[in-house]
């Protein structure tokens, strides 16, 4: 916690890092100072929070060296102020925290987090006014989110999961691959939800190769959709809402040409086709098609054929030394039209003689 007097640089307390400074601008023009020792080349992430925590303060952050030279600053009236600082030499550096407009009062509180830079990432939805963060869905339905990753030193794969008290959700395409920037996350709704139920969830990403972790943020998207908001409160940032209604009228159908597919051991593959029927002429997109539950070491590849209302999807299942017998697997398809998502699932058997 801020301890007065720290309004003058000589009185600034010296703290060990990582640290979080919590204080308030008690009167207009109040400026607080903090000091910390840093080694040459060490990089720090300095993150200021105020508006997202319900404070009216806009933060202005500056870093000075012992010669009172300003080395870095951040303060443009954003909901979160962040700056990266790299120490040019061993020494004690000073952080000043001020209110950007010079305002003050007992409600003008803030928090500043300072920690060494480590490989990390952040997650967000695409910042476009047409991107949804609220959905109308149905029991055993689905909806999709385009989750984007901004990487800061971490380039490994990122695994996504849900944080919600409601059990029964499942995810597909839940990994952003190494070096990748996004994935189209498919959220499968539990079959036991009731019409009229409101589902709220948050998305969390964790590094598969490391300890980095981040929650998905919707702050930039909400500011685009609602420019009248002076800032996005923390309880609103990242929340994804889905209202449960009745199933939509089917706008596409997917059928398999055969229920049992014979695996050719000599060619080490099996081929079959799906017929895609577009029941609504305005549905132009291609659905997501996933093949799940194949035997270990078996893979599936999809190839689209045809451009008419009825189209074919050729699926090749390949593998080596697959066990004999009949192996049921699932085909899951998802499409969107008119702000509604439609999930279609079927079972096919793979016969290995």
């Amino acid at each position: 916690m801020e301890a007065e007097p720290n309004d003058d640089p000589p009185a600034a307390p010296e703290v060990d890092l990582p640290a979080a400074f919590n204080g308030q601008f008690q009167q207009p023009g109040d400026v607080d100072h903090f000091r910390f020792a840093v080694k040459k080349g060490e990089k720090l992430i300095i993150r200021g929070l105020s508006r997202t925590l319900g404070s009216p303060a806009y933060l202005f952050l500056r870093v000075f060296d012992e010669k009172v030279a300003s080395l870095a600053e951040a303060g443009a009236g954003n909901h979160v102020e962040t700056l990266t600082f790299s120490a040019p030499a061993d020494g004690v550096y000073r952080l000043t925290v001020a209110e950007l407009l010079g305002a003050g009062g007992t409600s003008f509180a803030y928090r500043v987090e300072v920690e060494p830079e480590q490989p990390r990432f952040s997650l967000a939805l695409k910042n476009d006014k047409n991107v949804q963060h609220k959905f109308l869905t149905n029991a055993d339905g689905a909806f999709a989110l385009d989750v984007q990753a901004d990487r800061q030193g971490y380039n490994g794969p990122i695994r996504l999961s849900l944080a919600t008290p409601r059990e029964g959700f499942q995810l597909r395409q839940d990994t952003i691959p190494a070096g990748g920037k996004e994935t189209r996350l498919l959220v499968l709704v539990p079959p036991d939800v009731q019409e009229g139920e409101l589902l709220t969830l948050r998305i969390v990403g964790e590094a598969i190769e490391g300890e980095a972790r981040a929650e998905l943020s919707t702050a930039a998207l909400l500011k685009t959709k609602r420019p009248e908001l002076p800032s996005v409160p923390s309880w609103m940032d990242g929340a994804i809402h889905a209202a449960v209604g009745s199933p939509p009228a089917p706008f596409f159908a997917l059928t398999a040409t055969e229920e049992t597919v014979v695996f050719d051991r000599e060619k080490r593959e099996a081929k079959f086709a799906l017929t895609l029927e577009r029941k609504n002429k305005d549905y132009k997109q291609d659905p997501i098609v996933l093949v799940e539950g194949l035997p270990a070491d078996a893979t599936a590849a999809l190839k689209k054929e045809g451009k008419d209302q009825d189209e074919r999807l050729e699926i090749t299942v390949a593998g080596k030394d697959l066990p004999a017998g009949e192996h049921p697997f699932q085909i899951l398809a998802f499409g969107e039209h008119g702000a509604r998502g439609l999930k279609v699932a079927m079972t096919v058997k793979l016969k290995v003689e």
Side-chain angles (χ1 to χ4, degrees), residues 3 27 65 74-75 126 155 170 174 229 236 271 283 326 337:
Q27 62 274 333
D65 63 13
K126 183 179 179 181
N155 290 315
Q170 296 184 48
D174 60 349
L229 282 176
M236 185 184 295
K271 290 187 176 183
Y283 174 59
E326 289 190 349
H337 177 62

Side-chain angles (χ1 to χ4, degrees), residues 38-44 85-91 93 117:
V38 187
K39 297 292 185 181
K40 180 180 180 179
E42 185 175 356
K43 292 184 178 180
L44 300 178
F85 166 67
S86 181
D90 293 356
Y93 294 83
E117 184 183 51

Side-chain angles (χ1 to χ4, degrees), residues 50-292:
S50 57
R51 307 286 293 187
T52 57
L53 304 180
S55 169
Y58 289 101
L59 295 186
F60 181 52
L61 310 175
R62 299 179 74 181
V63 176
F64 295 85
D65 63 13
E66 293 175 294
K67 297 180 180 179
V68 199
S70 177
L71 302 179
E73 65 180 48
N78 296 321
H79 67 285
V80 176
E81 295 296 346
T82 302
L83 66 84
T84 301
F85 166 67
S86 181
D90 293 356
V92 176
Y93 294 83
R94 177 167 52 90
L95 170 69
T96 67
V97 186
E99 211 288 328
L100 182 65
L101 304 178
T106 55
S107 63
F108 283 73
Y110 65 84
R111 176 181 175 88
V112 178
E113 300 170 348
V114 184
E115 59 184 337
E117 184 183 51
Q118 298 177 351
R120 66 177 65 219
F121 59 86
S122 59
L123 300 174
L125 298 182
K126 183 179 179 181
N127 187 7
D128 185 296
K129 64 180 181 180
N130 296 316
V131 170
Q132 291 180 266
H133 70 286
K134 297 179 180 180
F135 299 88
L136 177 59
T137 186
N138 54 277
D140 203 26
F143 56 92
L145 297 162
D146 291 314
V147 179
Q148 299 182 330
D150 181 17
R151 299 176 179 271
Q152 298 108 42
Y154 175 74
N155 290 315
I158 301 169
R159 178 72 46 78
L160 304 177
S161 61
L162 295 182
T164 173
R166 187 64 163 83
E167 297 182 350
F169 283 98
Q170 296 184 48
L171 298 181
R172 297 294 188 272
Q173 303 185 147
D174 60 349
T175 300
I176 301 176
K181 295 183 178 181
E182 65 181 329
T183 186
R184 187 157 178 75
L185 179 67
L186 192 58
V187 182
L188 306 186
V189 178
D192 61 344
V193 298
Q194 304 297 316
E195 287 193 26
E197 190 172 350
L198 178 63
L199 310 172
T200 301
L201 52 91
R202 294 176 181 271
I203 298 169
V204 178
E206 294 183 292
I208 296 179
E209 301 171 356
E211 299 181 355
R213 181 182 185 276
E215 293 188 8
L216 178 132
S217 173
T218 57
L221 176 63
L222 291 173
K223 286 287 289 181
T224 297
K225 287 178 171 288
R226 300 179 60 181
E228 75 279 5
L229 282 176
S231 64
V232 177
S234 57
W235 60 265
M236 185 184 295
D237 184 15
I240 305 297
H241 304 287
V244 181
S246 57
F251 47 86
F252 79 90
L254 203 64
T255 55
T257 55
E258 45 196 315
E259 295 181 357
T260 301
V261 182
V262 178
F263 185 81
D264 188 326
R265 282 195 177 275
E266 186 174 327
K267 295 182 178 180
R268 295 180 177 178
E269 66 178 26
K271 290 187 176 183
F272 68 103
L274 302 175
T275 299
L276 171 63
E277 179 188 359
R278 299 181 186 269
K279 293 180 171 292
N280 187 312
K281 62 181 179 59
D282 295 323
Y283 174 59
K284 305 294 185 181
Q285 297 179 340
D286 292 332
I288 297 171
V289 179
L290 305 175
V291 180
E292 305 178 334

